[in-house]
Amino acid sequence: MNSLLLSISKANNHLLKEDSIDNALNFCISDIGAGQDIDRCYIFKNRVEDGDLKLFYVYEWCNENVVPYFGDPELNGISYDALPGLYSYLSQDEAMYGLVKDSDNELFKRVMDMQGIKSYLFTPIFSNNSFWGWIGYDDCRNEREWLQEEVFALQTVEENIGLRLTRDSTLKVLERTSLQFNYCMLSAKQALWEFDIANNKVIISHNWAGMLGYDNDQIIDPYRFFIKKIHLNDKTSFERNLKDFIAERQPIYDGILRLKHKKGYYIWVKYSGLLEKNEEGVPIRI
């Protein structure tokens, strides 16, 4: 059991540290396969094609002298209908394991016998609450009896894989949204800023610096930079407007001021913002 926990720890470390999900998953199955002295460890991914949910063999690790099946066309695009009972178990987030000879499914037994598999364990992977795929563990030399505590322990790996997949898909959505938002801001000649009230810290979008002729990396302290760029005749009214808004003496924060461009002239800028408070009702961010 100690070797299993060590293998799981290594696998989880890959999921946390590897930038590439492909590398993370390959390292995961390699460490678990080698650590548990099983013969084949692999991942099937689900994909809908022509309205049918199908299996695709996407990752594999094999022990020495074990036949690999990665790239085999017969293991890609398989319908779950070809392996009766598999979907009903795994889609309910239940592991499926046992000895091949004890299976009641003759088709399943034939498929497993063709690959020389004597003992198997399948654990499902869920991402964003959807059945993403599953990990398979094959023993081709021994009729290995999987202990329930081993199964539970290995299920933590697929749970963490699901979390990593969810994180990656969320980041992709955020990146696309951010890109679209930046294009909108650029085309509208607008910019985004965020003011941390407690620390006098400002975060700015790329176009904010660009409107004044700068790149973001040229602005080390946006708050001080901004204050210095305000026209002297606008500074007092701007600071009063900011204080009144934070103190909630006025419900709306907007105005017009002049900011000094990199080339030395002033541009007119319209600003506006919304106030965010913490649970105690204290203003923390504009």
Side-chain angles (χ1 to χ4, degrees), residues 14-278:
H14 294 311
L15 291 169
L16 287 171
K17 292 188 174 181
E18 288 295 326
D19 291 332
S20 164
I21 185 62
D22 289 329
N23 288 342
L25 293 180
N26 277 316
F27 286 141
C28 278
I29 60 176
S30 297
D31 280 337
I32 293 174
Q36 296 314 295
D37 194 30
I38 60 177
D39 293 311
R40 192 182 295 113
C41 187
Y42 47 89
I43 296 178
F44 273 101
K45 181 179 179 180
N46 296 329
R47 189 187 307 160
V48 176
E49 286 193 350
D50 301 323
D52 189 17
L53 187 64
K54 296 182 179 180
L55 295 160
F56 291 84
Y57 200 67
V58 289
Y59 303 98
E60 181 190 60
W61 171 89
C62 289
N63 213 334
E64 293 182 8
N65 303 317
V66 174
V67 178
Y69 285 94
F70 188 76
D72 188 333
E74 294 186 4
L75 291 178
N76 285 285
I78 310 170
S79 172
Y80 273 96
D81 293 338
L83 297 169
L86 190 64
Y87 179 81
S88 60
Y89 264 97
L90 299 179
S91 65
Q92 296 301 312
D93 202 11
E94 293 186 22
M96 183 176 174
Y97 58 98
L99 301 180
V100 172
K101 69 177 185 181
D102 294 337
S103 174
D104 295 330
N105 189 320
E106 292 301 322
L107 177 59
F108 177 77
K109 286 174 69 173
R110 285 201 303 272
V111 171
M112 300 297 273
D113 285 336
M114 286 172 55
Q115 299 177 54
I117 301 168
K118 294 184 177 182
S119 175
Y120 64 91
L121 166 62
F122 306 146
T123 59
I125 300 170
F126 280 75
S127 176
N128 285 317
N129 297 318
S130 296
F131 179 33
W132 182 91
W134 46 278
I135 306 178
Y137 307 91
D138 296 343
D139 198 322
C140 302
R141 293 166 295 170
N142 307 298
E143 292 185 341
R144 179 171 184 157
E145 297 278 0
W146 288 96
L147 301 176
Q148 197 167 46
E149 54 264 34
E150 292 178 315
V151 175
F152 287 155
L154 285 169
Q155 282 181 299
T156 64
V157 176
E158 50 90 355
E159 288 171 0
N160 287 328
I161 288 175
L163 290 172
R164 169 63 192 266
L165 292 167
T166 300
R167 188 198 76 176
D168 285 5
S169 64
T170 301
L171 284 175
K172 286 181 180 178
V173 171
L174 289 174
E175 286 170 0
R176 287 197 299 269
T177 303
S178 177
L179 183 62
Q180 291 169 350
F181 180 74
N182 283 334
Y183 277 128
C184 290
M185 298 293 279
L186 285 168
S187 64
K189 295 183 179 180
Q190 295 186 14
L192 179 69
W193 53 270
E194 181 181 305
F195 178 36
D196 179 344
I197 297 169
N199 300 303
N200 279 347
K201 184 177 180 181
V202 175
I203 300 172
I204 56 175
S205 66
H206 176 75
N207 201 34
W208 191 97
M211 287 194 296
L212 295 175
Y214 294 87
D215 292 325
N216 270 32
D217 56 10
Q218 293 178 290
I219 303 175
I220 306 302
D221 186 339
Y223 180 78
R224 291 182 181 275
F225 175 88
F226 172 70
I227 296 298
K228 287 181 179 180
K229 292 295 179 180
I230 299 175
H231 194 287
L232 288 176
N233 293 343
D234 298 336
K235 192 171 182 180
T236 301
S237 61
F238 169 78
E239 290 179 337
R240 183 174 60 248
N241 193 12
L242 179 62
K243 289 178 181 178
D244 287 346
F245 182 63
I246 293 173
E248 299 184 84
R249 288 190 290 268
Q250 63 182 46
I252 297 173
Y253 180 62
D254 63 11
I256 297 175
L257 52 70
R258 286 163 287 184
L259 295 176
K260 192 173 184 178
H261 194 274
K262 184 179 181 181
K263 293 183 178 180
Y265 57 84
Y266 285 89
I267 62 170
W268 289 94
V269 175
K270 184 184 188 318
Y271 64 88
S272 61
L274 299 172
L275 189 66
E276 180 184 346
K277 303 176 185 178
N278 62 18

